[in-house]
Amino acid sequence: MPTSLDDVVKRIRDLPSLSTVVVELLSTMDQEDIDVHVLGGKIALDQSLTAKTLRLANSSFYGMSSKVTTIHQAISVLGFHSIRTLVTACAVTGSFPAGASGGVNFQAFWRHSVATAVCAKLLAVHLKLNPDTAFTAGLLHDIGTLVLATRFPAEYAAMLAYRKEHDCYIIEAERAVIGIDHAMAGSALAAYWKFPAAMQEAVANHHQLDSAGTPTLPLLINAANVFAHALDLSGEEDDLVPPLSQALWVSLALSEADCAKLFRDSESTFVDMCKILVS
């Protein structure tokens, strides 16, 4: 029997909550008056999170001229917004232990998520949107996949078999077999984890843009997702590239040179990010 969204919401409650400091960091994305010193101190209390964040801060993605060794130093050099993004990324990627649940390839999943995040951050600069919010939304856009795979493993395995048999997009197989798709499940998790409204919308709507206009976060994530699939960085042999609508392409206003630079920069920074976030 197809799964309902109510079933998903019930099983989401079995998932571990994000740490208090990460929830607090996410809530500050819509705030201007932030006590950076206090939040930096809270981050530093989590040693494993701090270690991973500092590894990212010192990666080639940020091109640091000298090594940063403390969270407060990283904040002073890179800025609070960048560090908040890194801490959130490290926390969320560690929330779902890798395993064989539902047959999902966890490494391929996170590789695609990181590729989308990197593309989203670079696209955000071009579209004059917040690059840190874009990175986080890109990293989490498919988080509903892990909800379905870990909470409904039998149904998810059946969905993968259906997809292979019909050679269709994942989202089509999810709707046919499970009854809901990963965008809907991800939206429920984003609400449970108290993501900012803009990020909840991006997770929910990254496959549902029939038209385009003024650049928005969901539009940006839709495009970044397509580009990440096109770059084929997940490592999955049967990865399909979703279509990019003409309206969305016009809204992006990317020249051939812009596209070449976006792809080149995405590929060059993707490797370092994966070494730290995908283990």
Side-chain angles (χ1 to χ4, degrees), residues 60-61 110-116 118 231-235 264-276 278:
S60 63
F61 190 66
W110 284 119
R111 283 176 63 87
H112 170 68
S113 297
V114 171
T116 304
V118 171
L231 286 168
D232 195 25
L233 297 174
S234 71
R264 186 172 59 249
D265 291 349
S266 295
E267 288 180 314
S268 65
T269 55
F270 167 80
V271 175
D272 271 350
M273 281 290 187
C274 273
K275 284 178 182 176
I276 300 163
V278 184

Side-chain angles (χ1 to χ4, degrees), residues 24-253:
E24 195 168 349
L25 287 172
L26 283 168
S27 71
T28 64
M29 286 191 171
D30 295 329
Q31 298 175 10
E32 295 182 7
D33 185 20
I34 307 167
D35 192 329
V36 174
H37 183 76
V38 170
L39 282 175
K42 290 181 178 179
I43 295 169
L45 291 175
D46 188 323
Q47 294 182 353
S48 62
L49 201 54
T50 294
K52 211 170 187 181
T53 301
L54 290 176
R55 283 179 64 197
L56 275 177
N58 285 299
S59 72
S60 63
F61 190 66
Y62 287 98
M64 301 292 294
S65 58
S66 59
K67 188 174 183 179
V68 294
T69 57
T70 69
I71 287 294
H72 285 295
Q73 185 185 5
I75 290 174
S76 67
V77 175
L78 294 177
F80 173 71
H81 298 295
S82 292
I83 295 303
R84 175 181 57 197
T85 300
L86 297 184
V87 171
T88 302
C90 293
V92 172
T93 54
S95 295
F96 290 87
S101 299
V104 68
N105 183 331
F106 274 75
Q107 186 173 57
F109 171 85
W110 284 119
R111 283 176 63 87
H112 170 68
S113 297
V114 171
T116 304
V118 171
C119 285
K121 184 180 177 75
L122 295 170
L123 266 177
V125 176
H126 173 77
L127 297 176
K128 295 180 173 57
L129 295 174
N130 186 305
D132 295 303
T133 300
F135 180 92
T136 307
L139 185 72
L140 303 177
H141 76 289
D142 277 343
I143 199 72
T145 296
L146 297 188
V147 173
L148 296 177
T150 60
R151 302 298 99 181
F152 304 90
E155 292 90 337
Y156 195 82
M159 180 279 298
L160 289 177
Y162 177 96
R163 184 204 173 198
K164 186 174 182 179
E165 179 184 352
H166 294 82
D167 192 26
C168 61
Y169 291 111
I170 281 276
I171 198 163
E172 294 171 341
E174 288 170 344
R175 290 167 181 168
V177 177
I178 304 176
I180 67 167
D181 58 52
H182 65 272
M184 296 168 67
S187 177
L189 180 62
Y192 176 67
W193 275 351
K194 297 183 174 64
F195 288 175
M199 285 179 57
Q200 290 187 40
E201 184 185 2
V203 171
N205 297 327
H206 71 275
H207 281 292
Q208 298 180 0
L209 294 174
D210 297 323
S211 61
T214 303
T216 61
L217 189 59
L219 180 150
L220 168 65
I221 300 307
N222 181 288
N225 176 57
V226 172
F227 290 151
H229 279 294
L231 286 168
D232 195 25
L233 297 174
S234 71
E236 285 196 295
E237 293 181 3
D238 59 348
D239 193 15
L240 296 176
V241 181
L244 185 70
S245 72
Q246 179 66 27
L248 176 52
W249 179 250
V250 170
S251 295
L252 294 175

